[in-house]
Amino acid sequence: MAVPYEETGRTNQKSRTRTALIAATRNLLARGEIPTVEDAARAADISRTTAYRYFPNQRALLAAVRPEIDQATLLPDPAPADPRERLDLVMRECVRITLDWEPELRASLRVSLEPGAGNPSPLRRGRAIGWIEHALEPLRNTHPAIDIHRLAIAIRAATGIESFIWLVDIAALPRPEAAEILCGTARALLNEALSTRP
């Protein structure tokens, strides 16, 4: 079995190199760029060849910087059965991600709104909709009339970075209060769906 490059030889130096590449990537993301491995290497003053030993492609680089990119779920294992509890756990984690990555998410949103932006960046691919759908999965048995995908889209539309920015920048709410409103909005949308469909 092959031993990963970073686990052989000068591991402390390799750890510093990896940290430098990740820091450079995060700085570039905060400036509105979606960096390639070459961009990160240049910004970290590290050779392209060396950078590719750590990250073979852009997806691997972005997943190292933002590990939630590749997560299929935000629920713990084992997850609760109650959809309200599940949604609350997912929303709290989504809000944490928003708070932790606010500068990068703002930059990514700004870039996506520019004319000719084209396809969404690797950071804006609707992952939260899947996370929310997974939280609502028990409703398929208990409330089959509810369109879970549509409900997940509604929740995401009302609770994402766009809503957070409005609450903070326009409504001038402190970030913790904005975060609570987002979680409360998700709960309200779920409760409304549960009250109107058998």
Side-chain angles (χ1 to χ4, degrees):
M1 183 170 64
V3 178
Y5 173 73
E6 294 174 61
E7 295 179 14
T8 62
R10 303 161 58 194
T11 55
N12 287 340
Q13 175 60 43
K14 289 177 179 179
S15 176
R16 287 192 294 273
T17 300
R18 180 185 177 84
T19 299
L21 286 165
I22 288 174
T25 301
R26 189 157 188 177
N27 287 337
L28 291 168
L29 288 168
R31 290 183 357 210
E33 301 176 35
I34 308 299
T36 62
V37 176
E38 291 94 333
D39 295 332
R42 193 177 313 110
D45 198 23
I46 292 167
S47 77
R48 286 183 351 169
T49 303
T50 298
Y52 274 111
R53 288 184 182 130
Y54 294 83
F55 306 109
N57 53 50
Q58 183 188 47
R59 182 174 186 80
L61 174 67
L62 294 175
V65 176
R66 291 193 58 192
E68 70 275 2
I69 283 176
D70 285 332
Q71 288 182 229
T73 181
L74 297 182
L75 288 171
D77 185 20
D82 184 331
R84 288 184 176 94
E85 287 180 55
R86 290 165 66 96
L87 180 62
D88 192 58
L89 287 168
V90 167
M91 287 310 306
R92 295 212 173 271
E93 187 64 7
C94 283
V95 167
R96 181 199 62 76
I97 291 168
T98 297
L99 291 168
D100 287 353
W101 288 92
E102 183 182 344
E104 293 84 354
L105 289 171
R106 283 175 176 266
S108 180
L109 176 60
R110 186 174 61 249
V111 169
S112 73
L113 295 174
E114 291 175 358
N119 293 328
S121 81
L123 301 178
R124 294 184 59 79
R125 293 282 170 91
R127 290 172 188 85
I129 294 169
W131 295 333
I132 294 166
E133 276 192 75
H134 185 247
L136 300 174
E137 189 66 28
L139 297 178
R140 292 195 194 284
N141 295 324
T142 61
H143 294 75
I146 293 178
D147 184 336
I148 292 176
H149 182 67
R150 188 176 177 87
L151 178 56
I153 289 173
I155 291 170
R156 167 57 184 88
T159 61
I161 183 64
E162 304 84 356
S163 300
F164 179 80
I165 289 172
W166 189 91
L167 288 168
V168 171
D169 293 1
I170 308 302
L173 292 179
R175 280 167 174 76
E177 190 173 342
E180 284 304 316
I181 286 177
L182 295 181
C183 291
T185 298
R187 281 191 297 272
L189 287 168
L190 174 55
N191 288 336
E192 173 67 15
L194 291 172
S195 70
T196 56
R197 293 174 181 82

